[in-house]
Amino acid sequence: MASQYKLDCAYGRNTEINVVPYVQSYLRRLYDDDTLIITKYRNRKSVFDYYVDKYKLLIEIKSRRNTVEDYPTQLVGKNKISWGRTRMKNEDYKCFYFWVLNDKNDPTTKHIYNLEDKEDNEYNYRPIYDLRFKKYSMCAVIPNTELKYLTSFEV
């Protein structure tokens, strides 16, 4: 039987296939550039999922099975916040986090939310136990009220 980690990875990959066009469309509108293309990092150990060199964008997509109503917050690893902020400070990058969450009534509907990190954003951090690595990792706790709803789609 497949481990929960493998199932979660497969769920994330499958969800990303559906989400990337929406993320790209959002960024095209935001930057008023119909030619903007997001590129996937090919290294499995990359800190972020995607990037856009032309505009110095870092993009992380978090696929979750919960709804926005299930928890008052979403999580992002402190390593992602720290690495992204270093790039923001030293190289003028911008960091975008996207969450794909289930609809509370319709299992075929997903909702996309996002947050653009800013250097002055302040986050609370808490340790979360990582079953895969059998250790605690620090995560930023981001209130759902800080997230911007983008769109919904059917799977």
Side-chain angles (χ1 to χ4, degrees):
M1 185 169 167
S3 71
Q4 188 61 47
Y5 170 72
K6 287 183 180 179
L7 292 172
D8 289 345
C9 286
Y11 177 79
R13 281 191 305 274
N14 291 335
T15 303
E16 275 186 24
I17 290 168
N18 292 306
V19 172
V20 165
Y22 294 101
V23 170
Q24 186 165 275
S25 177
Y26 167 74
L27 293 172
R28 284 178 172 179
R29 287 190 312 275
L30 188 65
Y31 285 88
D32 194 23
D33 181 352
D34 288 340
T35 66
L36 182 148
I37 302 289
I38 63 174
T39 304
K40 183 164 184 61
Y41 277 107
R42 294 294 171 200
N43 181 343
R44 285 187 54 213
K45 297 186 181 202
S46 296
V47 178
F48 280 77
D49 296 324
Y50 297 89
Y51 63 95
V52 178
D53 272 340
K54 182 177 181 180
Y55 295 105
K56 293 186 171 186
L57 307 179
L58 298 172
I59 301 158
E60 178 69 12
I61 298 174
K62 310 303 270 176
S63 302
R64 300 291 181 251
R65 290 186 177 93
N66 58 281
T67 71
V68 74
E69 293 89 1
D70 288 342
Y71 302 101
T73 61
Q74 302 302 317
L75 303 174
V76 172
K78 185 176 182 179
N79 64 317
K80 293 181 187 300
I81 301 288
S82 298
W83 193 81
R85 289 201 170 168
T86 298
R87 303 286 301 271
M88 289 164 65
K89 181 179 178 183
N90 297 337
E91 303 171 53
D92 294 323
Y93 270 77
K94 293 184 179 181
C95 300
F96 288 89
Y97 299 93
F98 293 86
W99 286 267
V100 184
L101 304 174
N102 288 341
D103 183 85
K104 68 179 180 179
N105 298 315
D106 183 357
T108 66
T109 300
K110 305 285 185 192
H111 304 290
I112 305 172
Y113 299 84
N114 91 308
L115 173 76
E116 179 183 350
D117 193 17
K118 306 279 188 186
E119 288 185 59
D120 59 345
N121 285 4
E122 293 186 20
Y123 303 116
N124 291 318
Y125 293 92
R126 73 173 190 203
I128 302 292
Y129 191 71
D130 188 326
L131 291 170
R132 177 173 47 140
F133 295 114
K134 296 182 176 35
K135 67 173 190 161
Y136 283 92
S137 307
M138 294 303 287
C139 289
V141 180
I142 301 174
N144 290 344
T145 55
E146 299 294 316
L147 306 183
K148 176 183 172 184
Y149 169 78
L150 294 183
T151 192
S152 299
F153 65 96
E154 303 280 324
V155 290

